[in-house]
Amino acid sequence: KPVNERRRSVAVPQGIERDVFLKALAELKEQLGGQHVEINDKPLVDGWYMEHPNTHDMMTILDDEELVASAVVYPGSTEEVQTVVAWANKHRVPIFPISMGRNLGYGGAAPRVRGSVTIDLGKRMNKILDINPDDFTCLVEPGVSFYALYEALKEKGYDHMWLDTPDLGGGSIIGNTVDRGVGYTPYGDHWACHAGLEVVLPTGEVIRTGMGALPGNNTWQAFPYGFGPYSDGIFSQSNYGIVTKMGMTLMPNPGGYESFMYTFPNEEDLSLLIDIIRPLRISNILENVAQLRHVAQSVAARGLPRSKFYSGDGPVPDSVIHAAAADSPVGDHTWAYYGMSYGPEQFRAYKLSLIDAAFRKIPGTKKIDPATLPEDEYFWSRDRIAAGVPDIHELRWVNWTPNGSHIAFSPVSPIRGVDATALFALGKKYHDKYGIDFFPAFCVGLREMHLIVEIVFDRADPQRRREALDCLRDMVDEAARLGYGEYRTHLVLMDQVAGTYSWNDGAIMKFNEKLKDALDPNGILAPGRCGIWPRRYRGRGWEM
Amino acid sequence: KPVNERRRSVAVPQGIERDVFLKALAELKEQLGGQHVEINDKPLVDGWYMEHPNTHDMMTILDDEELVASAVVYPGSTEEVQTVVAWANKHRVPIFPISMGRNLGYGGAAPRVRGSVTIDLGKRMNKILDINPDDFTCLVEPGVSFYALYEALKEKGYDHMWLDTPDLGGGSIIGNTVDRGVGYTPYGDHWACHAGLEVVLPTGEVIRTGMGALPGNNTWQAFPYGFGPYSDGIFSQSNYGIVTKMGMTLMPNPGGYESFMYTFPNEEDLSLLIDIIRPLRISNILENVAQLRHVAQSVAARGLPRSKFYSGDGPVPDSVIHAAAADSPVGDHTWAYYGMSYGPEQFRAYKLSLIDAAFRKIPGTKKIDPATLPEDEYFWSRDRIAAGVPDIHELRWVNWTPNGSHIAFSPVSPIRGVDATALFALGKKYHDKYGIDFFPAFCVGLREMHLIVEIVFDRADPQRRREALDCLRDMVDEAARLGYGEYRTHLVLMDQVAGTYSWNDGAIMKFNEKLKDALDPNGILAPGRCGIWPRRYRGRGWEM
Ligand SMILES: Cc1cc2nc3c(=O)[nH]c(=O)nc-3n(C[C@H](O)[C@H](O)[C@H](O)COP(=O)(O)OP(=O)(O)OC[C@H]3O[C@@H](n4cnc5c(N)ncnc54)[C@H](O)[C@@H]3O)c2cc1C
Ligand SMILES: Cc1cc2nc3c(=O)[nH]c(=O)nc-3n(C[C@H](O)[C@H](O)[C@H](O)COP(=O)(O)OP(=O)(O)OC[C@H]3O[C@@H](n4cnc5c(N)ncnc54)[C@H](O)[C@@H]3O)c2cc1C
């Protein structure tokens, strides 16, 4: 994608005059130091995963200039975050905090309101404040990535503790967790595994939640609840506060582990397979958040462009995908289950035998012998991730199109064949309608699964962007009609998704708005995030 | 304790005139039906656990008349709860919701503000709305007790699902869970195991949290978070809403289980023992919330009055306790560990062998053979509870004094010998000071433990009540000085305990108050619960 090299003019937030805004920024520079406030008047360079921009979404689905920051600030401490918040309140400037801004597929680093001042917390606040080898916990700042924590554990020789990592290890632990991201070890529900927050409120005060509110405590990371209302939850997927520290629990080394992979031949196997998985998963015979992937995505995960396989328009035909799969070490199939068994050898043997017996009820099931798979096969990436080793192999399917970008559709359903089938059909219908390749993967949690559908698109092509977005909007609406809602979503879909959670005349949004107005009377913090608009913005057409 | 038989006059809430109040009640009777509004002008009968009052605390630590309801109402539906809330707002009457009012040790059924109208939700709203045998979940109303759910599971033949029960099975699932109570199977953290709430807000609106906000969903109990801020937590240990429905996950039958018990001879063994327990617990070799009990409580748990053992004043001497223990099937000891191992036989054998090797590092450790224990031995009660079978054996130690009542001190600490020792010394010091028998039990969670100290007192004796309360207040203060805070507390201690969570000039309480004022502008819902006073009450000397 060609970069527009001209010097851009700053996207001043709506409702404030240009020179008033620039004067306010000058004031902030004085408070934080000039080098810690960057005005965004340079070309918008997309970079790549490891060198991503913090001014906009490197995988933008809209025009670059739509969701763009006016400036980026780099606080170095909680006090400096408070300074920025006080400044924002004084000048009524929307601010948008990111930890590292790698929320790709969900909006990257982009703010929801054009011209917001992005607070890039991670650049300077990136310390691992504590690792407690007795309690199996740690305390981190926003700039600590999964990679960084992993390295620190290795460096200290703490082999008795594992971390949990999402598919890509370059994101921050805090950013991922407050957006309620997931990983693939038994500690994969990051929100459930965190313990203790330090939060700067939109009015500038700092609170510590849980036991953190007790001076001199030694249990902030050991006991999440504390006394009184357990308020952590309202700081996830919201715009009620800026998290400056977070505690996280670490998984004990299980004393052994073993990846396994099964393939299933037909699309229709999905229903029975999911019903087989459910009781095994709930009773922890299947111990981690499994990925059940469609072969199309596995083919894409080789990292080759789509054009290597097919040069026509519209979705790559099934026959082409299957031919490519047949030609691979795994062999042809439609669904692949990637799992891991944990614990001492005899425990694993027992569990694996139950799993094997159950999976083989599906005709044509194949258990893949890992020894037959080459080193760079996708299987080994899943193996690393399910063992808590950060990785970036997963990025490869983004190469499927030129200027490869992606955006996610992530509805939640029970672990039931009938639901899996309905969601699969729904996705297929709209992908076909818009001529988009369909990459479904079911991530099976404990009692629910998320279908994760990543639409890969060429971000330099406005037509493709439009189609991807239309497809998503159609899927979100139809899913809601069927009773399925998203667990998380992209910035541009937040209003729509929030709108589907409309029970009792939108009671939950009215409640969210009431909290927003109480906590952020000037409406400065991340307006519109997760569909929550402060009073000052409501009824003025900000939704999209 | 003699009941005062005279007809009492109604405790009218402060700030409202008697006849205005009585007129308001008459209005409410019209709305709900006269039989569903009971004026509390009858003698305060304490009853016993299975027939407890809903007008006051049957184990009161203050004079009966201090924390007493003016009336009790029985809504039959969520709509009727809304009616009561609207009525309370109209007349500015404090209301206090209970599910079943069996919160003994923490205030029973008493409201925090004298003269509140108690909403006894459980009496009429007591349906199990759903049990889902595929998802291992259920949806209940406030009046569903652990016993009732257990019976329903048995009746339906759902042996593949277990519930988790606290030590006493007569409480409600909702009341226990919103107070963040605990049980003793691997699903013992009830708050963590709930999924989905329906809440009537203090202003009368109804919300459903998580996926419940999505019309037509089938994941309300399967996926707790939904989309956007995860607000459930602020409805636990608070006064922000009335929970009218709650989802709960059920534990899969582990396919085998086995209780075990170890005793340790000396008080000083505590430190090493706790350090041995920590890694085993965190890595789930020890799988349930264990109780590590002091012998004094085990002797009391036989259900005999203290006078059978000792007739002097002050604490029963150690020598007497040990003699009584020596004379029992378990034999003399100081600490007893009650645990359970879950899963198929070979799994249990492996885990139990690790546990055995570790525990035997303490000289004088004895593994107790269950076969040697008579049927009514306390061990079998722990065995039932750790297998999810509701019980009431635990009530027996309440017989220790005449008019036996109790009140709990429940500080949280890391699972460390040094902390256990410090808390034990602290408790002992103040029990000795006030001449009270000391019953410490450590409940070992995953990364933390709660010391639970129950002070058993004669509620008919004002002097004993005073001593028990003074002892508690001293312990709370000193624990806070050492960095330990309570996980939950009795009504009369809530202000004090909330005051210990004072980091950054009481930032968390200011935050809680801000939420309270936003959600409950008239300050009608459970004023003072967990130390949170609505604006109307603040600065007027309500704290105690
Ligand atoms: C190929 C691919 C695979 C992926 N796989 C996964 C996966 O398996 N699991 C998964 O969960 N995600 C996945 N993602 C999405 C994303 O990369 C990760 O969630 C990532 O960890 C988020 O990065 P971050 O920490 O930089 O978040 P950020 O961008 O820093 O944060 C995300 C959002 O949270 C809010 N936020 C962040 N920090 C704070 C704070 N301190 N205070 C208040 N609000 C804050 C902001 O609104 C921000 O936009 C994947 C992405 C790609 C491209
Ligand atoms: C011997 C003994 C042993 C015990 N052991 C344990 C134990 O092992 N674990 C444990 O957790 N507890 C224990 N307890 C304490 C108590 O008995 C239980 O927690 C019990 O389950 C609470 O009963 P309940 O449901 O009747 O609560 P309730 O009294 O109905 O509720 C407790 C409080 O929560 C709030 N509340 C209740 N329902 C609602 C609602 N619907 N909406 C909003 N707020 C609400 C109210 O403020 C109420 O005062 C023990 C008590 C005794 C006497």
Side-chain angles (χ1 to χ4, degrees), chain B residues 49 52 59 96-106 108-110 121 142 146 165-168 170-176 178-184 190 235 238 241-244 291 382 394-395 397-398 406 454 487-488 491 526 529:
Chain B
Y49 184 74
H52 66 291
M59 296 188 171
F96 192 89
I98 59 173
S99 284
M100 295 183 75
R102 284 214 179 93
N103 207 15
L104 302 172
Y106 298 108
L121 299 155
F146 294 93
T165 172
D167 271 340
L168 296 180
S172 73
I173 299 170
I174 289 185
N176 181 278
V178 299
D179 213 24
R180 297 205 298 261
V182 295
Y184 303 92
H190 295 161
F235 297 109
S238 77
I242 302 176
V243 177
T244 45
Q291 289 221 358
R382 291 244 67 80
E394 190 71 25
L395 267 179
W397 48 256
V398 181
H406 66 102
E454 296 282 6
Y487 96 99
R488 178 182 182 190
L491 277 185
R529 181 159 147 76

Side-chain angles (χ1 to χ4, degrees), chain B residues 181-245:
Chain B
V182 295
Y184 303 92
T185 75
Y187 275 48
D189 179 348
H190 295 161
W191 186 254
C193 290
H194 96 283
L197 300 177
E198 180 182 89
V199 183
V200 175
L201 298 175
T203 39
E205 303 88 346
V206 191
I207 58 171
R208 289 187 178 173
T209 66
M211 301 306 292
L214 193 105
N217 78 82
N218 59 359
T219 40
W220 195 15
Q221 276 60 67
F223 181 63
Y225 302 140
F227 175 78
Y230 176 48
S231 42
D232 290 35
I234 63 171
F235 297 109
S236 69
Q237 291 194 5
S238 77
N239 48 16
Y240 299 159
I242 302 176
V243 177
T244 45
K245 295 185 178 67

Side-chain angles (χ1 to χ4, degrees), chain A residues 198-245:
Chain A
E198 180 183 87
V199 183
V200 175
L201 298 175
T203 38
E205 303 88 348
V206 192
I207 58 171
R208 290 189 178 173
T209 65
M211 301 306 292
L214 192 104
N217 78 82
N218 58 0
T219 40
W220 195 15
Q221 275 62 66
F223 181 63
Y225 302 141
F227 175 78
Y230 176 47
S231 41
D232 290 37
I234 64 171
F235 297 108
S236 69
Q237 290 194 6
S238 77
N239 49 15
Y240 299 159
I242 302 176
V243 176
T244 45
K245 294 185 178 69

Side-chain angles (χ1 to χ4, degrees), chain A residues 165-421:
Chain A
T165 172
D167 270 340
L168 297 180
S172 72
I173 299 170
I174 289 184
N176 181 279
T177 303
V178 299
D179 213 24
R180 297 204 298 259
V182 295
Y184 303 92
T185 74
Y187 275 48
D189 179 349
H190 295 161
W191 186 253
C193 290
H194 96 283
L197 299 177
E198 180 183 87
V199 183
V200 175
L201 298 175
T203 38
E205 303 88 348
V206 192
I207 58 171
R208 290 189 178 173
T209 65
M211 301 306 292
L214 192 104
N217 78 82
N218 58 0
T219 40
W220 195 15
Q221 275 62 66
F223 181 63
Y225 302 141
F227 175 78
Y230 176 47
S231 41
D232 290 37
I234 64 171
F235 297 108
S236 69
Q237 290 194 6
S238 77
N239 49 15
Y240 299 159
I242 302 176
V243 176
T244 45
K245 294 185 178 69
M246 188 182 75
M248 197 75 193
T249 56
L250 297 167
M251 175 173 152
N253 183 328
Y257 62 96
E258 183 174 350
S259 273
F260 60 91
M261 176 180 180
Y262 284 85
T263 63
F264 309 90
N266 306 309
E267 240 155 45
E268 307 73 54
D269 296 333
L270 179 65
S271 180
L272 179 54
L273 180 55
I274 292 288
D275 285 326
I276 287 173
I277 289 172
R278 186 184 55 251
L280 294 173
R281 183 71 187 96
I282 296 178
S283 56
N284 246 335
I285 301 297
L286 293 168
E287 295 161 276
N288 67 336
V289 174
Q291 289 221 356
L292 181 69
R293 295 215 159 201
H294 192 269
V295 62
Q297 196 171 15
S298 307
V299 168
R302 290 194 215 156
L304 299 174
R306 165 190 149 103
S307 55
K308 283 270 183 226
F309 300 93
Y310 185 65
S311 56
D313 266 350
V316 177
D318 281 358
S319 56
V320 174
I321 294 290
H322 282 290
D327 201 31
S328 76
V330 168
D332 191 22
H333 63 280
T334 295
W335 297 103
Y337 184 99
Y338 298 89
M340 187 176 271
S341 183
Y342 301 88
E345 212 282 318
Q346 71 275 28
F347 282 33
R348 300 197 312 263
Y350 174 84
K351 291 179 282 194
L352 289 171
S353 73
L354 292 181
I355 295 164
D356 195 66
F359 281 6
R360 288 197 190 278
K361 287 184 191 146
I362 295 174
T365 297
K366 278 200 329 201
K367 179 165 187 173
I368 305 296
D369 178 1
T372 66
L373 299 177
E375 231 176 74
D376 74 336
E377 181 63 35
Y378 180 65
F379 172 88
W380 296 113
S381 167
R382 290 245 68 79
D383 179 59
R384 285 187 290 276
I385 286 164
V389 181
D391 202 58
I392 57 165
H393 188 121
E394 190 72 23
L395 266 178
R396 296 199 190 175
W397 48 256
V398 181
N399 296 339
W400 191 244
T401 68
N403 303 299
S405 300
H406 65 104
I407 180 165
F409 170 59
S410 328
V412 173
S413 83
I415 311 172
R416 295 216 197 106
V418 46
D419 295 300
T421 306

Side-chain angles (χ1 to χ4, degrees), chain A residues 375-527:
Chain A
E375 231 176 74
D376 74 336
E377 181 63 35
Y378 180 65
F379 172 88
W380 296 113
S381 167
R382 290 245 68 79
D383 179 59
R384 285 187 290 276
I385 286 164
V389 181
D391 202 58
I392 57 165
H393 188 121
E394 190 72 23
L395 266 178
R396 296 199 190 175
W397 48 256
V398 181
N399 296 339
W400 191 244
T401 68
N403 303 299
S405 300
H406 65 104
I407 180 165
F409 170 59
S410 328
V412 173
S413 83
I415 311 172
R416 295 216 197 106
V418 46
D419 295 300
T421 306
L423 282 169
F424 182 80
L426 181 164
K428 183 109 181 83
K429 171 171 150 195
Y430 289 104
H431 279 66
D432 283 350
K433 173 172 170 194
Y434 292 101
I436 298 171
D437 291 314
F438 184 37
F439 294 156
F442 290 94
C443 294
V444 185
L446 200 60
R447 282 178 173 73
E448 49 65 48
M449 58 193 184
H450 308 0
L451 167 62
I452 306 280
V453 176
E454 296 282 7
I455 297 187
V456 182
F457 62 93
D458 177 350
R459 70 176 173 279
D461 183 338
Q463 160 91 6
R464 293 276 177 236
R465 288 201 315 240
R466 185 77 253 162
E467 285 162 358
L469 191 51
D470 286 348
C471 180
L472 270 159
R473 292 216 182 273
D474 283 356
M475 291 193 294
V476 168
D477 278 345
E478 176 140 343
R481 276 194 294 275
L482 300 176
Y484 305 113
E486 279 65 52
Y487 95 99
R488 178 183 183 189
T489 203
H490 190 284
L491 278 184
V492 308
L493 296 166
M494 283 176 174
D495 295 310
Q496 186 189 3
V497 168
T500 64
Y501 286 77
S502 62
W503 184 79
N504 192 19
D505 200 19
I508 200 76
M509 183 51 81
K510 290 176 196 161
F511 174 74
N512 291 342
E513 289 174 347
K514 195 181 270 193
L515 291 189
K516 181 65 178 171
D517 292 340
L519 296 174
D520 185 7
N522 295 324
I524 48 105
L525 189 63

